[in-house]
Amino acid sequence: MTENILVIIPARGGSKGIPGKNVKLLNGKPLIYYAIDAARSIVDDSHICVTTDSDAIIQAVESYGLVVPFKRPDELATDTAGTYEVLLHALNYYEAKGEIIDVVVLLQATSPFRTAFHVKEALSLYQETLDMVVSVCPSSSNPYYDSYEDDANGMLQISKGDDSYIRRQDCPPVYDYNGAIYVINPKSLKEKPMGKFTKKKKYVMDREHSVDLDTMMDWMIAEYMIENKIVEI
């Protein structure tokens, strides 16, 4: 495993889809605690950075025994502030203290079913020659089979390929980013945003553990999954 890992957990205070989601209780525990637990499985607390603009989130995190190293600047706390700038700000903070960071692990608080096992497996795939290892799950649609788009005449056509696949299982597999784990080369991060990375390796997770909480419907689905023991947390 890489020597010096920095885990960054972004947690902005404002949330429109699920108000107060980062400290909202899921199965009796603030949502952000799940990300902290996963981070603690791979690094000590001094290498976990919760970056937030919210006093309520800072209080909740520090009540869990984790010191929040700084309060996020106002310019990085707006609706338009990107994850890229937030990651660079956190990385620069630690490097300014003399830390040599070998790899950055981004864990979003909205993936409560991602476990320590998943994080460790994703880390095991990382190499310095990569820009990033990113968690994915099998896509619910396939551009070779059941994804369509308008052609120049406004007629629906299969998105990719020539409509020759008869069975879905014969199509090339496709994946969605699930937002759970990003294992990032800090050198690459300093050069360009993650969307510009070309050397990316996938870490495949199942659909159940890939739930990403963005809306109240997502939250209700997560509660249902917990209550019915579809996932164990």
Side-chain angles (χ1 to χ4, degrees), residues 30-233:
L31 180 63
I32 197 169
Y33 286 9
Y34 294 95
I36 293 172
D37 288 345
R40 281 173 164 166
S41 73
I42 58 170
V43 295
D44 61 39
D45 282 7
S46 66
H47 284 84
I48 302 174
C49 175
V50 172
T51 166
T52 183
D53 62 310
S54 165
D55 290 331
I57 293 174
I58 291 174
Q59 182 178 2
V61 169
E62 296 198 335
S63 294
Y64 206 42
L66 180 65
V67 174
V68 177
F70 54 78
K71 189 173 182 180
R72 192 189 300 180
D74 291 341
E75 63 269 20
L76 295 179
T78 66
D79 288 339
T80 58
T83 300
Y84 177 61
E85 291 78 14
V86 170
L87 293 177
L88 276 183
H89 175 263
L91 177 60
N92 290 337
Y93 173 86
Y94 283 83
E95 290 188 335
K97 297 197 304 177
E99 293 266 12
I100 298 174
I101 303 300
D102 297 313
V103 62
V104 171
V105 176
L106 165 61
L107 299 180
Q108 300 193 117
T110 50
S111 299
F113 299 152
R114 164 207 54 225
T115 67
F117 172 80
H118 297 127
V119 177
K120 290 175 181 177
E121 279 208 325
L123 265 173
S124 72
L125 299 176
Y126 177 77
Q127 300 172 349
E128 290 184 6
T129 55
L130 297 173
D131 292 325
M132 176 171 69
V133 174
V134 60
S135 60
V136 301
C137 64
S139 180
S140 59
S141 61
N142 191 305
Y144 294 92
Y145 185 71
D146 58 0
S147 291
Y148 292 81
E149 58 189 73
D150 286 341
D151 63 14
N153 299 314
M155 299 293 108
L156 278 179
Q157 303 292 339
I158 195 76
S159 290
K160 197 176 178 86
D162 57 7
D163 215 5
S164 61
Y165 289 102
I166 304 302
R167 303 187 309 164
R168 181 184 178 91
Q169 55 265 44
D170 295 330
C171 299
V174 294
Y175 304 94
D176 295 326
Y177 279 21
N178 66 4
I181 307 165
Y182 301 80
V183 182
I184 305 166
N185 187 327
K187 294 179 182 177
S188 301
L189 188 65
K190 292 175 185 177
E191 294 174 357
K192 53 195 170 185
M194 291 182 291
K196 301 290 186 180
F197 288 171
T198 56
K199 298 176 181 177
K200 298 177 286 188
K201 192 166 187 177
K202 70 182 183 297
Y203 168 63
V204 183
M205 294 172 57
D206 60 61
R207 297 280 299 278
E208 290 77 14
H209 288 91
S210 295
V211 169
D212 181 38
L213 303 183
D214 188 49
T215 67
M216 282 306 301
M217 180 176 290
D218 297 332
W219 192 278
M220 293 170 65
I221 290 170
E223 290 183 324
Y224 175 87
M225 292 173 69
I226 293 168
E227 290 169 3
N228 289 276
K229 301 187 185 304
I230 297 171
V231 293
E232 297 290 338
I233 60 173

